[in-house]
Amino acid sequence: YYTDGSWPDFGRLLRFEPGFAKLIEDILHDPAAIDPENFNVGFHESAFRRHKSGTDDFSHVMLSLLTFGSWFRRYGPNTA
């Protein structure tokens, strides 16, 4: 998963690193992180499956959802 650049190949990490993929799945299935009223969770789950199969590259979308969902779960309005 290493590259010649300063960042790893996140697309490959999502496909082949079970722990990293589990983080994405946990965020997608947690309504406190990714509210299904505001996000099309079905689409994102489909995109994640397509990414894992190697059909498409949704690594940037998945990493954005992971970042937002982690932040929102911790600091969102339901944490007060």
Side-chain angles (χ1 to χ4, degrees), residues 9-24:
D9 183 344
F10 288 114
R12 288 183 53 85
L13 279 172
L14 283 174
R15 283 188 186 97
F16 301 112
E17 179 59 43
F20 199 44
K22 180 150 177 31
L23 286 174
I24 301 284

Side-chain angles (χ1 to χ4, degrees), residues 1-9:
Y1 314 126
Y2 296 99
T3 65
D4 291 331
S6 58
W7 294 99
D9 183 344

Side-chain angles (χ1 to χ4, degrees), residues 52-68:
K52 293 234 355 145
S53 73
T55 306
D56 293 299
D57 183 5
F58 286 102
S59 53
H60 289 95
V61 173
M62 294 300 118
L63 290 170
S64 296
L65 286 170
L66 176 62
T67 301
F68 173 81

Side-chain angles (χ1 to χ4, degrees), residues 22-51:
K22 180 150 177 31
L23 286 174
I24 301 284
E25 290 171 343
D26 290 347
I27 287 293
L28 285 176
H29 295 113
D30 183 358
I34 302 295
D35 186 352
E37 290 186 24
N38 296 320
F39 288 88
N40 184 343
V41 176
F43 169 79
H44 294 301
E45 288 172 342
S46 171
F48 184 60
R49 285 191 304 273
R50 287 167 46 198
H51 180 87

